[in-house]
Amino acid sequence: MSDIFCRDCNMLTEVVFDHSAGDTICSECGLVLESRSVDETSEWRSFADESNGNDPNRVGGPVNPLLADGGLSTVIAGPSNGSSSNALPSSVGRWQSRASKPDRHLLNIFSAIAIMADRLGLVTTIKDRANEIYKKVEDQRPLRGRNQDAVVAACLYIACRQENKPRTVKEICSAVSGASKKEIGRAKEFIWKHLEVEIGQEIGTIHAGDYLRRFCSNLGMKNLEVKAAQETVQKSEDLVIRRSPISVAAAVIYIITQLSDDKRTFKDISLATRVAEGTIKNSYKDLFPHLPRLIPNWFAKEEDVKNLCN
């Protein structure tokens, strides 16, 4: 109940809402203050098969422009008790099967992308971008005969690049069981080849800083150490070092941990970054001559930097 001004009582009175009739009634004199009002509250209603079911759904899913029918097709459900007496007629079953066949494959692919993205902790925008990439590739060139797991993984890899949240191929490979790193690489090149005009303009250059915070988080590094690593990586971009951004990020993390109280081994860094220990060591050797001007002065003294083993 709430207070509304009643013209008969000439004061604010509590009113009662009769939802069945749509009337607003004064609790003091019984005058109908408003009739046939529209109830703007949620219209929850149970669509469960059983009367005691708890299924308050009242709408379907959102429109999906990637599907032929927008994802708004009607599906006739069969009996839930498993009996064959109330089963759908064969003609209805065949019609429903034919009607949903074009989108069935896409729905399975989108479901696989969602599962893989959840394993990697990716946001919805990356999932949607991966769905768009797959749809564009399939529209231009059929993907029959190709490893679908590898294609899905490649779509996610490219989507991460486009959204400036890159993941390494090894990270992508860890979330899929039916494709190897080599197969994902081939699928990635295949997609790039057929969508070069659309994808090429949207993908930027990968920097070591794109991976740094996630790797530091995997190691549980402190905020000051993360900040020092970020400054070091940023300064290292001015150097001419023929190493991948991932290996540079791993080497910088190793250097920062050696200058802190919580020292980590090459093996620890390798497990957190999925970069081989030998690759981290070689990147460390390339960065070592430049460390005095790469490491922030507020984080480590010059003597401590010089005392690092080469």
Side-chain angles (χ1 to χ4, degrees), residues 34-103:
E34 185 178 353
S35 61
R36 297 182 180 180
S37 58
V38 178
D39 185 4
E40 297 180 354
T41 58
S42 300
E43 188 186 351
W44 295 123
R45 172 183 168 192
S46 177
F47 286 88
D49 294 335
E50 300 179 1
S51 59
N52 59 349
N54 184 18
D55 183 16
N57 296 318
R58 60 186 289 268
V59 295
V63 177
N64 190 341
L66 301 180
L67 301 177
D69 55 7
L72 300 178
S73 59
T74 301
V75 177
I76 304 174
S80 60
N81 53 11
S83 63
S84 59
S85 58
N86 296 325
L88 293 176
S90 59
S91 59
V92 176
R94 288 195 302 270
W95 174 83
Q96 182 166 278
S97 178
R98 288 196 299 268
S100 59
K101 190 173 181 180
D103 289 339

